[in-house]
Amino acid sequence: LAQRLLADGGAALAAVLHPELFRIEEYGGEVEVSGRLTVGQTVFDRRRRPEWRQKIAVALECDAPAVIDVIAQVAPVVAVRG
């Protein structure tokens, strides 16, 4: 169940419950909807272009063993609540 939860957003849940486990930075970005090669992908500009006003929080690193521990602790609760 912990593996399924990891694939189904467990890391995102861990980030909400324990943000200290992640190194998060904000970048200007948008979802590409008309590009020929990148349709549906999120495109970030690490140059911090001012014309891209939408800031998106991006997790660049995490304490992976601790995140897995959080997911393992939460998995039984998620399983019960379905």
Side-chain angles (χ1 to χ4, degrees), residues 30-66:
E30 61 184 40
V31 176
E32 179 62 58
V33 295
S34 61
R36 194 171 68 96
L37 300 175
T38 60
V39 173
Q41 293 184 8
T42 305
V43 179
F44 296 100
D45 188 342
R46 294 184 73 174
R47 297 174 296 176
R48 302 188 189 275
R49 295 176 58 160
E51 62 268 22
W52 284 11
R53 291 183 177 84
Q54 179 67 34
K55 297 291 184 184
I56 301 171
V58 180
L60 301 175
E61 296 177 356
C62 73
D63 179 345

Side-chain angles (χ1 to χ4, degrees), residues 58-78:
V58 180
L60 301 175
E61 296 177 356
C62 73
D63 179 345
V67 170
I68 291 169
D69 287 345
V70 169
I71 292 168
Q73 291 170 9
V74 172
V77 175
V78 172

